[in-house]
């Protein structure tokens, strides 16, 4: 840590993630939090090469040319393996030019921590940032039993990956406890929640009511399109809406291989009422989508993976003052009550249709729910989450400086270009 009156040395951080920076809100939020204060953040990921000036710092993007995996388990294993190999080469090369203070691996896969083998040997701290619990996700995605060979092997991979990490970040307390229950990250855990960043979404908006003047009521879903996220439930709910809710229109902004199938289902069951965006909407455009909406829907199904989630889309709806209709899932119910959100049983299209009709027909009741939800969101606002995250980075970097060999302190290296 810096002494009083001593200028803080900008840190050099590397983040490794098998995703596109421009579509990944969690990566953006944390990278910007560091760059704003003058740190240099290097992203090894799927995005095009580039450099962004953010505050007093820089975000430099180093691409690993691998397509995003899709298909069955074998295709994902191959995709992860190819990216892991390419990312390890890139992180090693960057670290040899000039050592990092911290390398942060954002799963999936958890094994991305192994891209930091050389930095670890140099004394660099390593963080495993668990966006999703890997074994639960794959059990959900591929319909595997918890004791299947695939899920057991992923639990081994998870434990080995966490051994290399100095800290293990999760997005909810429930996820942290689940990991520690199977011996992952015990004593290393830190919860950093996916709260909306005011620098992206602006300050929290006053609670808003759906229009009562007979105009259209725009419902928004933004997020993943995989079956576990329940977009099909919304489409089937719209097919059941009566004339009293004829004003409701649905906009779906999401990413995933299921887009065409969902668009076909929407055209069949609710023609003219559902707009499914033909391409993924960049995260930078999501605030505009939220500004145009009147209601937000979180239709996530319930399984061993989703019961650990507090969906970021829900927090963004609340931040923007939108009334929310949501599946009643364990973590959501811990943070929000029936005074904040209209709940319905996961996967129940009939109950969702009734909730949509009620929200449309009771604008002031919807506003009251949104106002109460906004008050609850204040307790987990990004400012407090950001402070927790940045403090962890500073603590790890200070430990690296104390233990670093003295010859490294004398090393001077030229800045590398964004593309190597």
């Amino acid at each position: 840590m810096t002494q009083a009156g001593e200028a803080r040395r900008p840190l050099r951080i590397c983040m490794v993630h098998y995703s596109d920076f421009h579509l990944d809100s969690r990566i953006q939020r944390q990278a910007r939090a560091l760059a704003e204060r003058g740190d240099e953040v290097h992203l090894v990921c799927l995005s095009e090469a580039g450099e962004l000036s953010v505050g007093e710092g820089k975000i430099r993007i180093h691409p690993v040319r691998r397509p995003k995996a899709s298909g069955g388990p074998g295709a994902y294993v191959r995709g992860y393996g190819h990216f892991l190999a390419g990312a390890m080469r890139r992180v090693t090369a960057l670290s040899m030019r000039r050592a990092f203070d911290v390398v942060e691996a954002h799963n999936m896969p958890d094994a991305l921590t192994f891209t930091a083998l050389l930095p670890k040997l140099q004394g660099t701290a390593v963080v495993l940032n668990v966006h999703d619990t890997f074994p639960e996700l794959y059990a959900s995605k591929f319909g595997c039993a918890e004791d299947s060979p695939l899920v057991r092997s992923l639990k081994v991979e998870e434990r080995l990956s966490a051994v290399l990490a100095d800290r293990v970040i999760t997005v909810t307390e429930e996820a942290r406890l689940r990991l520690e229950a199977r011996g992952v990250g015990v004593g290393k855990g830190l919860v950093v929640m996916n709260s909306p960043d005011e620098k992206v979404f602006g300050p929290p908006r006053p609670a808003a009511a759906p229009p009562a003047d007979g105009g259209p009521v725009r419902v928004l879903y933004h997020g993943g399109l995989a079956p576990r996220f329940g977009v099909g439930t919304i489409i089937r709910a719209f097919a059941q809406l009566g004339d009293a809710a004829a004003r409701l229109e649905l906009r779906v902004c999401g990413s995933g291989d299921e887009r065409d199938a969902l668009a076909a289902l929407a055209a069949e069951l609710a023609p003219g009422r559902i707009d499914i965006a033909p391409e993924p909407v960049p995260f930078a455009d999501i605030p505009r989508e939220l500004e145009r909406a009147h209601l937000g829907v979180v239709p996530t199904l319930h399984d061993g993976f989703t019961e650990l989630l507090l969906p970021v889309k829900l927090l963004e709806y609340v931040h923007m003052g939108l009334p929310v209709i949501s599946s009643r899932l364990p973590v959501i119910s811990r943070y929000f009550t029936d005074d904040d959100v209209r709940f319905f049983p996961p996967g129940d299209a009939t109950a969702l249709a009734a909730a949509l009709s009620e929200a449309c027909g009771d604008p002031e009741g919807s506003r009251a729910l949104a106002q109460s939800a906004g008050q609850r969101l204040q307790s987990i606002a990004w400012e407090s989450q950001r402070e927790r995250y940045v403090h962890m980075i500073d603590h790890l970097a200070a430990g690296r400086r104390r233990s670093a060999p003295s010859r490294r302190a004398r090393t001077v290296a030229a800045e590398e270009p964004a593309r190597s």
Side-chain angles (χ1 to χ4, degrees), residues 216-231:
V217 176
R218 293 184 291 274
V219 181
L220 178 66
Y221 170 87
H222 68 293
L225 301 181
R228 62 184 172 275
F229 295 119
V231 179

Side-chain angles (χ1 to χ4, degrees), residues 5 21 47 55 92 103 111 114 125 149-150 167 171 190 202 236 238 278 283 286 317 335 347 354 386 408:
F21 169 71
S47 305
T92 297
V103 175
F114 290 101
L150 173 62
R167 293 288 185 275
V171 295
L190 179 73
R236 290 189 291 274
F238 263 75
F283 177 64
I286 292 299
Y317 295 147
Y335 284 94
R386 177 187 179 280
R408 187 183 304 120

Side-chain angles (χ1 to χ4, degrees), residues 172-174 177 191 193 310 329-337 340 343 376:
T172 65
E173 182 69 7
E174 286 76 6
L177 293 173
V191 177
M193 301 183 72
L310 180 62
L329 295 176
V331 180
I332 296 176
S333 298
R334 184 165 81 82
Y335 284 94
F336 296 95
T337 71
D340 314 313
F343 285 111
R376 289 191 186 275

Side-chain angles (χ1 to χ4, degrees), residues 49-82:
E51 181 176 306
L52 305 172
S53 294
V54 180
E56 299 179 1
K58 299 282 186 183
I59 296 176
R60 293 190 168 98
I61 301 174
H62 307 272
V64 176
R65 305 294 185 187
R66 300 294 177 189
K68 190 75 171 175
S70 62
Y76 275 86
V77 170
R78 289 190 296 273
Y80 288 144
H82 290 154

Side-chain angles (χ1 to χ4, degrees), residues 205 313-322 324 336 370 373-374 377:
R205 296 198 170 205
K313 67 178 72 67
L314 187 155
L315 304 183
E316 291 168 357
Y317 295 147
V318 173
H319 181 87
M320 297 295 282
L322 298 180
V324 177
F336 296 95
L377 184 61

Side-chain angles (χ1 to χ4, degrees), residues 39 48-49 106 148 216 220 281 414:
D39 293 343
E48 294 294 323
H106 292 256
S148 69
L220 178 66
V281 176

Side-chain angles (χ1 to χ4, degrees), residues 3 18 29 249-250 333 359 377 386:
Q3 300 297 319
Y18 188 38
R29 190 182 303 117
E249 302 173 353
L250 175 63
S333 298
L377 184 61
R386 177 187 179 280

Side-chain angles (χ1 to χ4, degrees), residues 9 38 259 279 374:
R9 178 181 69 81
R259 181 182 289 103
E279 299 291 339

